[in-house]
Amino acid sequence: MVNKNPRDPLESPLSPLERDFSDRVQGEDLEFRASDDGIYRIIHKKSQLYAFEPSKLLSKFTATQLVTISGAASGFLAGVVVCPLDVVKTRFQAQGAMAQSTGSLVNKEYRGFLGAFKTILREEGIRGLYRGLVPITIGYLPTWTIYFTIYERAKLFYPDFLKSHFNLEIHALNHFCSALTAGMTSSIAVNPIWVVKTRLMIQTGSGTTIDKSIAKDKSASKPKIERTYYKGTLDAIRTMYKEEGIRVFYSGLIPSLFGLLHVGIHFPVYEKLKLWLECDLNSTTSDQQQSTLGRLIIASSVSKMIASTITYPHEILRTRMQIQSSNGKKSDKHKGKLISSIVKIYQKEGFKGFYAGYGINLVRTVPASAVTLVSFEYFKTYLLEVSGKQ
């Protein structure tokens, strides 16, 4: 319910209940007030601009829509929090492939997470740690919006489906199928954004026509690969489409789909750990709520570490394929294919090449998982409870 200027608070005194505010945030011209009766008011100087009651507002949404909102909020939050970690991880994953780039003005290799973090911060400033923030934020928001929406609905669909068609009643299998369905849908929908994000994150400095290599060129006899330097997200989209066509935005999709095994492991383990650790967000006391928060963090972190360890090589393949330009010579026309990428990584870097940046990846993905899953659980629980749909 929204009311504009219903009265002048100075001319019409507030009731005792309205004066007993549980929270009040005051700025230079605006005041945000929350009263004990659950009504929120925004007041500009002498006039009340808006008054609304969250429970009535949220009651207009369906449970599915509230889950979608929760997924969007958790995705946006995760995108902002983990962007610097994602930049460092992407640089590590890509540096083996970037060693042949032209314009190798940065004659070094990153060594260790803290070393890479400090180097990027020193040479490129805070902006270097937030390269690709726009696409990563835009990417995380729809990714988790789509994922959690499909996942929550699939969890309701698969038990009856598997029971009626295959006579199976296995909770882990329900979660596995739900995770695969949600992961496939979100991967196909958002892959173009992740390609743009990866291209932007591997850039260093502020070049104008070519990308500066992030790794030391150890062999001057190797042919150089010219790379376009993108000025920003929109410029990257326009340039990539102009130079490489629409197919470039779906490079790396195949290893991404292979990576569905990741969510197929992650979410069933997460759901099982939530049951074992008794992660109940409907606890009434503050001590119980704090204890639940800690257990949720443990469940999300441990499940992420298990899934990442098993499925990490697909991330290397996806990153390498996403940064490969499709406008090379005819002799290189197959270089973007999955088998070719696997062979090249193994020949040049050995088995350990499939786990390049693994430690850095854990430093990034474990906090990201905790932020995403825990915030989603809290957003969902709050919105469903306030709306009366819990």
Side-chain angles (χ1 to χ4, degrees), residues 355-366:
Y355 278 86
Y358 169 71
I360 303 300
N361 181 68
L362 288 184
V363 172
R364 168 199 167 271
T365 57
V366 171

Side-chain angles (χ1 to χ4, degrees), residues 270-318:
Y270 172 65
E271 297 284 358
K272 181 63 68 174
L273 288 175
K274 282 203 304 180
L275 290 176
W276 287 349
L277 298 175
E278 299 180 348
C279 300
D280 182 14
L281 287 177
N282 294 317
S283 302
T284 55
T285 67
S286 59
D287 290 340
Q288 289 176 327
Q289 290 175 350
Q290 291 178 358
S291 176
T292 300
L293 173 60
R295 292 196 294 270
L296 273 175
I297 293 175
I298 292 174
S300 62
S301 300
V302 172
S303 60
K304 188 67 175 181
M305 291 177 66
I306 293 173
S308 295
T309 302
I310 296 173
T311 64
Y312 184 75
H314 95 275
E315 292 199 31
I316 296 293
L317 293 171
R318 182 182 60 194

Side-chain angles (χ1 to χ4, degrees), residues 127-340:
R127 293 182 61 183
L129 292 172
Y130 279 91
R131 289 184 183 275
L133 175 62
V134 173
I136 196 176
T137 303
I138 295 174
Y140 266 90
L141 198 153
T143 294
W144 290 115
T145 299
I146 295 171
Y147 185 91
F148 282 123
T149 301
I150 301 297
Y151 181 68
E152 293 293 322
R153 300 191 70 171
K155 285 198 299 183
L156 300 176
F157 167 77
Y158 276 111
D160 291 337
F161 177 82
L162 295 174
K163 172 65 176 177
S164 60
H165 288 78
F166 305 99
N167 196 30
L168 294 174
E169 292 184 89
I170 306 174
H171 292 297
L173 181 60
N174 296 335
H175 293 141
F176 177 80
C177 294
S178 300
L180 289 185
T181 302
M184 181 178 296
T185 305
S186 61
S187 293
I188 294 174
V190 189
N191 196 79
I193 298 175
W194 295 130
V195 175
V196 174
K197 179 217 74 169
T198 302
R199 291 284 185 93
L200 289 174
M201 282 187 171
I202 63 173
Q203 295 185 157
T204 64
S206 57
T208 55
T209 59
I210 55 175
D211 186 24
K212 300 174 184 177
S213 174
I214 64 171
K216 183 179 180 180
D217 184 6
K218 298 180 179 179
S219 176
S221 62
K222 292 181 180 180
K224 297 296 183 179
I225 303 171
E226 184 175 347
R227 297 184 182 277
T228 303
Y229 193 96
Y230 308 112
K231 299 177 181 178
T233 303
L234 293 179
D235 178 63
I237 295 173
R238 287 194 297 263
T239 305
M240 289 167 63
Y241 177 75
K242 180 179 179 181
E243 295 182 351
E244 304 174 61
I246 192 68
R247 293 180 62 182
V248 67
F249 295 105
Y250 285 92
S251 56
L253 178 59
I254 294 178
S256 292
L257 294 179
F258 286 152
L260 291 177
L261 180 61
H262 178 93
V263 295
I265 297 172
H266 182 198
F267 277 80
V269 174
Y270 172 65
E271 297 284 358
K272 181 63 68 174
L273 288 175
K274 282 203 304 180
L275 290 176
W276 287 349
L277 298 175
E278 299 180 348
C279 300
D280 182 14
L281 287 177
N282 294 317
S283 302
T284 55
T285 67
S286 59
D287 290 340
Q288 289 176 327
Q289 290 175 350
Q290 291 178 358
S291 176
T292 300
L293 173 60
R295 292 196 294 270
L296 273 175
I297 293 175
I298 292 174
S300 62
S301 300
V302 172
S303 60
K304 188 67 175 181
M305 291 177 66
I306 293 173
S308 295
T309 302
I310 296 173
T311 64
Y312 184 75
H314 95 275
E315 292 199 31
I316 296 293
L317 293 171
R318 182 182 60 194
T319 299
R320 298 292 177 88
M321 292 177 70
Q322 286 177 346
I323 67 175
Q324 287 174 346
S325 174
S326 60
N327 61 351
K329 298 179 181 179
K330 292 183 179 180
S331 60
D332 296 327
K333 64 181 180 179
H334 298 300
K335 71 177 180 179
K337 294 187 177 181
L338 180 62
I339 295 179
S340 176

Side-chain angles (χ1 to χ4, degrees), residues 47-101:
S47 299
Q48 178 174 289
L49 296 178
Y50 298 101
F52 60 94
E53 190 171 350
S55 59
K56 291 183 178 180
L57 180 64
L58 294 174
S59 65
K60 299 178 181 179
F61 293 91
T62 65
T64 300
Q65 290 172 331
L66 293 176
V67 169
T68 299
I69 294 172
S70 302
S74 62
F76 177 81
L77 181 62
V80 174
V81 171
V82 306
C83 186
L85 301 178
D86 209 7
V87 170
V88 176
K89 182 213 71 168
T90 303
R91 297 280 182 90
F92 267 93
Q93 288 181 337
Q95 66 181 2
M98 292 297 294
Q100 297 183 38
S101 296

